[in-house]
Amino acid sequence: MQDSKLNILDRLTLPTPRFFRKIRSVPVAVGAVGAILVAAPALLPAALVSLGGYLVLAGSIGAAVSSAAVTPGEQVQQAQERKELMGGSSAESL
């Protein structure tokens, strides 16, 4: 039986399910608000600027996690077929 675990490169290159594509817009918006707060440090109190940094961090992590979601089953088969076609995953060839 073949190993059915996906590495991070496989997860990022396989298509993201529709639900997680919709969810991904929320952390991107949170990160954008944080970037706005960080970009204007002279006009805002220091607490808001540091809050902006945390919002950027939370938004980027949330977007990365929702981008790495894949549908189980058929996408594992796609990744295995791609590995066989290319002679291994891209991480193995590095």
Side-chain angles (χ1 to χ4, degrees):
M1 183 173 172
Q2 292 182 347
D3 187 20
S4 63
K5 293 184 180 181
L6 297 174
N7 61 21
I8 191 68
L9 292 176
D10 289 333
R11 287 187 169 273
L12 292 176
T13 56
L14 288 171
T16 304
R18 187 172 52 156
F19 174 74
F20 285 100
R21 285 190 303 238
K22 290 179 183 179
I23 294 296
R24 185 173 44 200
S25 62
V26 174
V28 168
V30 169
V33 168
I36 290 169
L37 292 175
V38 170
L43 303 175
L44 300 172
L48 282 178
V49 174
S50 64
L51 174 68
Y54 290 122
L55 289 176
V56 169
L57 177 67
S60 61
I61 290 172
V65 168
S66 63
S67 295
V70 294
T71 306
E74 68 183 42
Q75 297 199 357
V76 172
Q77 293 172 355
Q78 288 177 359
Q80 289 175 350
E81 290 172 3
R82 187 178 66 210
K83 283 181 185 179
E84 290 172 3
L85 183 68
M86 295 175 60
S89 71
S90 57
E92 293 170 351
S93 63
L94 291 177

